[in-house]
């Protein structure tokens, strides 16, 4: 809107600021909690200002890890591998299936389309028991494959890419055909570069989706060296017969937040473009 | 260029040959009704017709982008019905240019050659040659987004030329340009084609474009070739009423008239028009046509028209008038001083009469 009305401006700023405060407050509490020692955190009221133990806690968590838990470096690495495998796996499979559905006229095309569609209704939480059994029988428990493959098989990204491909003008395909490009050449040389922003947007979404996985990693990993950081934060709180080490847990949570934040900030421009750009 | 592309052109003078070409869509709709035509090497042939007449479909069938339901298409002596577009040795320029948006101008032009396995230095040589020809040298490192419409148009043509195909196919290439640029590009394309001597099939809905560029025209209507001929043949002797009305601007005037029993006079309204030659037709219902420019003002004129509106274009005046109920357009040189309600007496050049059967729309 181009009109200039001070009251509505004030109100909209107020609403925006309130929203920001609601989002930021828990993060602030996390930072605060990570900067005190454990004794202070058990006192009431909880502190709202920063303490002086931040770097002390950081050194402890990064160097020695949280007591009774896997070293944080391994967990971060596991999470990273899982998130990347899920993001890349989903993107490659979805790109290919969307390509098949949009550009090829094969028998039962619509049937396959709807079959892919139905997987939207079956996220891993719904099919968790049979999926677990399959993964167990394939001997993939406590492996990266077991962690990621069941999560890769789903349709969300296929739809997004289908939409993207549908918005690519037919003439590009025709021009490429006249230029002698075969199907895979068209896919690599023209379609992928043209869909670059959508792929980036999908990568951001899927990386965060993969990073935040909780239930599935909890089920398929028993080996401490395969644990991911998100699931182990929960485990830390449940360490038996001990008061939770809140300062270390919060520090771990802060560290767990960093990679997704970096991905979002780093790919922000492409992300927004990929979700809003309509002209190819 | 593929090995077999040159064979056969010596035994068969026509370069592109369509034999009974038909297109029927899966839903039963017949878009193209048996078209036969031969295009000679180096000829510039324009497919023209109103939108939806099937002209683009026909072009795309030649290109290999649409299946041919019946009939045969030969390019340079080879039957190409079952060949992929890239094997037909043709190049196409699309209406919206279809440039690869992520590639530079250079890469856009080089892509086809690269796919053919042309050596790098050969590609480089050819692209630079064509860039020079089309004055694109400065733009080779830009992307399509950074170019103006006219520049994109030139790149699209460059992409076609660089492959040295045996035929160019143009699908309404100028319709996205503004009027002034369109006139310019018309000349550019025509000159280039003459210089390269490449057989060209060009689709447009703009009859001025068609008339000015074509060696020969095909007028299509509802998937039927109404007439094939040079621009002047179509102008002077349209075979059907549709062609007569489509070619020429402003369009030909048509008056429904009755032919006298002896075939010597034509009657419409109060006007009796004696004919130079006896006319015979199965019925006496005739559509009489004459072009707006084949009329002269004359005090003793056979027809008197009621003026509606006069458009002064400077060099000429377009007069919209009525004869009885039929609207008549006149195109007269210079400034004509007439206004709404005036009566004009005119004569029509007797050598320029056109007669069509009223029902069949076919020339008599």
């Amino acid at each position: 809107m181009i009109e200039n009305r001070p009251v509505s401006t004030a109100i909209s700023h107020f609403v925006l600021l309130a929203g920001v405060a609601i989002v930021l407050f828990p993060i602030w509490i996390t930072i605060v909690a990570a900067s005190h020692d454990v004794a202070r955190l058990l006192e009431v009221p909880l502190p709202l200002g920063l303490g002086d133990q931040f770097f002390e806690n950081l050194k402890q968590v990064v160097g020695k890890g949280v007591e009774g838990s896997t070293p944080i470096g391994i967990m971060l690495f596991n999470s990273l591998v899982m998130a990347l495998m899920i993001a890349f796996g989903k993107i490659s499979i979805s790109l290919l299936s969307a390509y098949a559905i949009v550009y090829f006229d094969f028998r039962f095309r619509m049937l396959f389309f709807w079959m892919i569609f139905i997987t939207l209704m079956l996220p891993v939480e719904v099919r968790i028991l049979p999926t677990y059994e399959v993964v167990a029988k394939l001997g993939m428990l406590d492996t990266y494959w077991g962690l990621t493959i069941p999560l890769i098989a789903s349709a969300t990204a296929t739809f997004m890419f289908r939409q993207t491909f549908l918005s690519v003008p037919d003439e590009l395909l025709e021009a490429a055909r006249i230029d002698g490009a075969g199907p895979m050449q068209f896919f690599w040389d023209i379609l992928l570069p043209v869909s670059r922003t959508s792929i980036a947007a999908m990568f951001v979404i899927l990386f965060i989706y993969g990073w935040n996985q909780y239930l599935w990693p909890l089920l398929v990993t028993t080996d401490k060296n395969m644990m991911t950081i998100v699931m182990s934060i929960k485990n830390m709180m449940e360490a038996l017969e001990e008061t939770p080490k809140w300062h270390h847990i919060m520090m771990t949570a802060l560290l767990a937040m960093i990679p997704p934040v970096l991905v979002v900030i780093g790919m922000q421009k492409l992300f927004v473009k990929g979700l809003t750009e309509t002209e190819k | 260029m593929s090995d077999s592309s040159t064979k056969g052109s010596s035994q068969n003078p026509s370069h592109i040959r369509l034999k009974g070409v038909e297109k029927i869509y899966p839903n039963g709709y017949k878009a193209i009704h048996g078209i036969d035509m031969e295009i000679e090497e180096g000829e510039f042939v324009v497919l023209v017709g109103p939108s939806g007449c099937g002209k683009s479909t026909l072009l795309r069938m030649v290109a290999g982008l649409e299946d041919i339901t019946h009939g045969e298409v030969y390019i340079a002596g080879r039957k190409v019905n079952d060949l992929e577009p890239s094997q037909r040795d043709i190049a196409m320029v699309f209406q919206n240019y279809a440039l690869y948006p992520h590639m530079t101008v250079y890469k856009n032009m080089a892509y086809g050659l690269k796919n053919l396995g042309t050596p790098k230095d050969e590609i480089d040589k050819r692209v630079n040659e064509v860039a020079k020809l089309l004055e694109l040298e400065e733009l080779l490192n830009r992307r399509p987004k950074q170019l103006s419409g006219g520049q994109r148009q030139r790149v699209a043509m460059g992409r076609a030329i660089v492959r040295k195909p045996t035929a160019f196919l143009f699908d309404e290439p100028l319709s996205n340009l503004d009027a002034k640029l369109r006139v310019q590009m018309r000349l550019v394309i025509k000159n280039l084609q003459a210089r390269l001597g490449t057989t060209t099939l060009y689709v447009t809905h703009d009859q001025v474009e068609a008339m000015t560029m074509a060696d020969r025209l095909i007028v299509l209507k509802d998937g039927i070739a109404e007439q094939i001929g040079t621009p002047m043949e179509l102008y002077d002797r349209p075979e059907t009423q549709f062609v007569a009305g489509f070619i020429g601007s402003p369009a030909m005037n048509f008056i429904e008239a009755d032919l006298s029993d002896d075939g010597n006079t034509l009657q419409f309204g109060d006007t009796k028009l004696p004919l130079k030659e006896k006319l015979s037709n199965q019925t006496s219902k005739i559509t009489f046509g004459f072009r707006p420019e084949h009329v002269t003002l004359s005090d003793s004129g056979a027809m008197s028209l009621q003026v509606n509106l006069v458009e002064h274009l400077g060099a000429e005046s377009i007069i919209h008038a009525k004869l009885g109920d039929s609207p008549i357009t006149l195109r007269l040189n210079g400034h004509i001083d007439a206004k709404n309600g005036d009566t004009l007496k005119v004569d029509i050049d007797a050598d320029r009469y056109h007669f069509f059967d009223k029902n069949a729309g076919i020339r008599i």
Side-chain angles (χ1 to χ4, degrees), chain B residues 24-90:
Chain B
I24 302 168
Y25 283 105
N27 63 13
Y29 176 70
K30 198 166 182 180
I32 303 285
H33 297 254
I35 291 197
D36 291 292
M37 103 156 289
E38 311 217 340
I39 301 171
E40 278 165 38
E41 181 143 23
E43 213 179 359
F44 196 115
V45 171
V46 174
L47 281 164
V48 66
S51 52
C53 70
K55 54 192 189 300
S56 283
T57 309
L58 188 61
L59 185 81
R60 292 162 55 83
M61 285 162 83
V62 175
L65 299 172
E66 297 268 0
D67 289 335
I68 300 161
T69 319
H70 294 298
E72 285 151 14
V73 174
Y74 295 87
I75 297 174
R78 268 191 316 166
K79 185 177 167 189
V80 296
N81 280 38
D82 300 320
L83 294 184
E84 275 290 303
S86 57
Q87 299 170 312
R88 297 188 181 197
D89 198 17
I90 46 102

Side-chain angles (χ1 to χ4, degrees), chain A residues 211-224:
Chain A
W211 186 269
N212 287 343
Q213 280 305 313
Y214 170 69
L215 184 60
W216 183 251
L218 194 65
L219 273 179
V220 291
T221 56
T222 44
D223 185 345
K224 282 201 160 192

Side-chain angles (χ1 to χ4, degrees), chain A residues 174 178-180 185 189 193, chain B residues 60 86 100 102 111 115 163:
Chain A
E174 290 171 349
I178 288 176
D179 271 340
Q185 235 172 328
D189 291 350
Chain B
R60 292 162 55 83
S86 57
Y100 309 123
H102 59 289
Y111 188 63
N115 288 340
R163 306 226 331 260

Side-chain angles (χ1 to χ4, degrees), chain A residues 112 127 133 166 173 175 179 198 215 237 246:
Chain A
F112 283 106
R127 54 189 160 91
E133 195 175 328
L166 285 176
L173 170 66
D179 271 340
S198 305
L215 184 60
M237 292 192 270
W246 285 113

Side-chain angles (χ1 to χ4, degrees), chain B residues 16-292:
Chain B
I16 300 179
R17 186 149 64 99
L18 311 184
K19 234 172 102 183
V21 169
E22 289 191 354
K23 173 78 189 178
I24 302 168
Y25 283 105
N27 63 13
Y29 176 70
K30 198 166 182 180
I32 303 285
H33 297 254
I35 291 197
D36 291 292
M37 103 156 289
E38 311 217 340
I39 301 171
E40 278 165 38
E41 181 143 23
E43 213 179 359
F44 196 115
V45 171
V46 174
L47 281 164
V48 66
S51 52
C53 70
K55 54 192 189 300
S56 283
T57 309
L58 188 61
L59 185 81
R60 292 162 55 83
M61 285 162 83
V62 175
L65 299 172
E66 297 268 0
D67 289 335
I68 300 161
T69 319
H70 294 298
E72 285 151 14
V73 174
Y74 295 87
I75 297 174
R78 268 191 316 166
K79 185 177 167 189
V80 296
N81 280 38
D82 300 320
L83 294 184
E84 275 290 303
S86 57
Q87 299 170 312
R88 297 188 181 197
D89 198 17
I90 46 102
M92 186 154 166
V93 176
F94 294 86
Q95 181 173 357
N96 59 10
Y97 322 133
L99 299 176
Y100 309 123
H102 59 289
M103 293 188 192
T104 60
V105 169
Y106 182 94
K107 283 188 176 160
N108 261 288
M109 295 206 275
Y111 188 63
L113 292 174
K114 202 184 101 200
N115 288 340
L116 289 173
T118 315
K120 265 225 166 85
D121 44 342
E122 170 73 14
I123 294 180
D124 202 55
K125 204 184 104 207
R126 282 217 229 164
V127 170
N128 283 315
E129 253 173 44
V130 172
K132 208 169 162 191
L133 187 70
L134 292 167
E135 293 165 30
L136 290 169
E137 293 141 302
E138 309 290 311
L139 309 173
L140 282 176
N141 288 320
R142 302 238 192 126
R143 278 165 207 259
K145 246 186 199 162
Q146 300 162 289
L147 303 178
S148 69
Q151 289 169 335
R152 286 182 205 183
Q153 171 64 48
R154 294 213 302 274
V155 176
M157 277 168 46
R159 189 169 64 175
I161 294 170
V162 83
R163 306 226 331 260
K164 298 188 180 164
T166 185
F168 291 138
L169 308 177
F170 289 89
D171 190 0
E172 307 218 15
L174 303 184
S175 53
N176 284 359
L177 300 178
D178 62 54
K180 197 174 160 200
L181 208 52
R182 205 176 305 158
V183 175
Q184 262 176 32
M185 288 308 293
R186 216 154 74 190
L187 289 173
V188 171
I189 293 180
K190 184 71 186 152
N191 281 332
L192 264 176
Q193 193 268 343
R195 202 159 140 193
L196 299 168
T198 309
T199 313
T200 299
L201 197 55
Y202 184 106
V203 162
T204 178
H205 63 265
D206 179 351
Q207 59 97 13
V208 177
E209 215 171 287
M211 293 288 279
T212 50
M213 297 177 86
D215 293 329
R216 279 196 300 155
L217 290 166
I218 311 173
V219 181
L220 276 181
K221 185 198 171 201
D222 299 334
I224 298 166
E226 293 265 318
Q227 189 170 358
I228 302 177
T230 64
M232 285 327 284
E233 277 169 16
L234 266 63
Y235 178 82
D236 288 335
R237 215 186 134 70
E239 289 301 330
T240 66
Q241 192 183 337
F242 174 78
V243 174
F246 192 77
I247 301 292
S249 167
M252 187 186 280
N253 297 302
F254 296 110
I255 298 169
E256 291 182 5
D258 290 307
L259 187 63
S260 64
D261 291 337
D262 59 7
N264 283 328
T265 42
L266 211 56
Q267 173 149 15
F268 42 92
D270 303 331
T271 314
K272 272 204 166 86
L273 198 68
L275 302 179
K276 266 170 87 180
E277 283 165 37
K278 202 172 138 97
L279 199 65
S280 61
N281 191 37
Q282 283 165 344
T283 68
S284 66
K285 295 288 178 200
I286 298 264
T287 303
F288 167 54
F290 62 93
R291 296 202 181 273

